Amino acid sequence: MTKHLNHLITRGMTVEIMDPKHTESAHPATFMGEVCQCDQDHVLVKDTENHIYDVFLDEILCLMNYQSSASRYCLRVSDQGYDVLCILPTGFIETLATELDYTTATHVVELLSKPVQLQKVAA
């Protein structure tokens, strides 16, 4: 089953937030903070001065204490559909495709998640 970004973000995780992308964004600038709560398209993040901001998932730049030996692919809900993301072993989030329908997005994630198979080609 394809994972969604909000399923990978847990309470207590440290995240880096980029400058606001939306007019509704409440945070003033880039900051690092601790996740208090996460839902389908928003995260409550507490900064170092104990201010809590409601942050859109697409404003998360990096999952700071994310640990993995390989890249991981997942989906993020967007206004017009689904975005396909790659979370690098370092925790940085790269957007690979945006605003896809659910069927296409899950197919892309499944294809990217499969191990590479070498095939012999006749000369």
Side-chain angles (χ1 to χ4, degrees), residues 5-75:
L5 180 60
N6 60 305
H7 297 149
L8 300 174
I9 298 173
T10 58
R11 183 184 181 105
M13 179 179 273
T14 304
V15 292
E16 183 176 357
I17 307 300
M18 65 175 61
D19 286 338
K21 290 178 70 173
H22 307 276
T23 55
E24 304 90 12
S25 298
H27 63 285
T30 299
F31 73 98
M32 287 181 58
E34 183 179 308
V35 173
C36 299
Q37 181 180 335
C38 183
D39 63 23
Q40 187 172 343
D41 55 357
H42 289 264
V43 180
L44 293 179
V45 181
K46 180 171 55 172
D47 68 8
T48 56
E49 297 175 351
N50 290 326
H51 297 108
I52 296 178
Y53 296 103
D54 188 3
V55 176
F56 289 84
L57 283 179
D58 65 350
E59 295 174 321
I60 297 175
L61 181 62
C62 184
L63 308 177
M64 299 305 291
N65 45 353
Y66 178 80
Q67 294 180 358
S68 178
S69 59
S71 296
R72 185 170 194 169
Y73 302 95
C74 64
L75 299 179

Side-chain angles (χ1 to χ4, degrees), residues 77-120:
V77 177
S78 68
D79 292 337
Q80 304 297 321
Y82 293 86
D83 299 340
V84 176
L85 308 176
C86 176
I87 302 176
L88 302 172
T90 57
F92 279 98
I93 299 172
E94 296 287 337
T95 303
L96 303 178
T98 59
E99 300 179 358
L100 301 175
D101 63 83
Y102 184 76
T103 303
T104 303
T106 54
H107 186 67
V108 169
V109 169
E110 288 171 13
L111 287 173
L112 292 171
S113 298
K114 288 183 180 179
V116 176
Q117 296 178 356
L118 297 177
Q119 295 185 9
K120 295 181 181 179

